[in-house]
Amino acid sequence: REARTAKQAAHLRAALAKGALKRLSHLDLNDNLLGAEGMATLAMPLRKMELLECLGLANNGLGAEGVASLFTNFGKDDFKALKRLWLGLNQITDAGMTTLVAAIEAGRLPRLRNDHAFIKKVLFLSHNRASASAVQAVEDALAKRSQ
């Protein structure tokens, strides 16, 4: 299954790179078991999608390495429209949450918010390996930025 998922990620990356999906504002990649390799394949083209407002990455086997692929070495316009992000039901540790906090505190993800509706909150960060304090640090960084 991992080989098939990596191949599918490569095909999606090619479509994104060609601009075939550049007008998408919502992309649901939940439940695809992308893992670190798949996320590394998709991270750059996802970050460059200018109109992407909602990105679902729940239940993809992402850990700290997958989060690092998405949220380090940002360009100034990466994820500039992203408002909603679902990272729940993964394997993200405190280190991954720290990476996300650093991106928020550096002024990246300027439009990202934490919706407090139950289902959105569950899919945002919950059900990962990170401690409650690490998840709270992400929520605090978002709250601080919006003040």
Side-chain angles (χ1 to χ4, degrees):
R1 179 170 172 128
E2 288 179 25
R4 184 181 69 188
T5 301
K7 186 175 181 180
Q8 290 169 337
H11 288 300
L12 181 55
R13 178 189 170 102
L16 292 169
K18 290 179 186 176
L21 305 173
K22 71 179 180 179
R23 302 204 47 85
L24 283 180
S25 63
H26 294 68
L27 183 58
D28 180 350
L29 296 175
N30 297 323
D31 304 314
N32 280 295
L33 299 178
L34 293 169
E37 183 181 348
M39 194 74 283
T41 299
L42 292 174
M44 187 59 70
L46 287 174
R47 290 177 1 189
K48 300 297 181 193
M49 292 178 70
E50 294 178 12
L51 302 177
L52 187 64
E53 293 181 5
C54 299
L55 177 60
L57 294 171
N59 196 29
N60 270 294
L62 300 180
E65 191 176 328
V67 172
S69 293
L70 277 172
F71 302 113
T72 55
N73 301 317
F74 261 70
K76 80 173 182 82
D77 290 330
D78 290 355
F79 282 138
K80 70 180 181 181
L82 193 66
K83 293 179 184 177
R84 292 189 181 100
L85 175 66
W86 294 289
L87 291 171
L89 304 166
N90 279 296
Q91 306 298 316
I92 302 169
T93 60
D94 286 8
M97 297 298 172
T98 300
T99 299
L100 188 49
V101 167
I104 294 165
E105 289 179 345
R108 304 301 184 212
L109 305 160
R111 299 183 73 199
L112 184 66
R113 62 181 185 249
N114 184 10
D115 288 323
H116 288 285
F118 175 74
I119 192 67
K120 291 178 182 155
K121 186 170 176 102
V122 167
L123 292 176
F124 177 51
L125 294 174
S126 67
H127 297 86
N128 277 291
R129 291 185 176 177
S131 66
S133 61
V135 172
Q136 187 62 52
V138 175
E139 293 177 0
D140 290 347
L142 286 170
K144 181 180 177 183
R145 187 198 55 211
S146 65
Q147 293 177 352

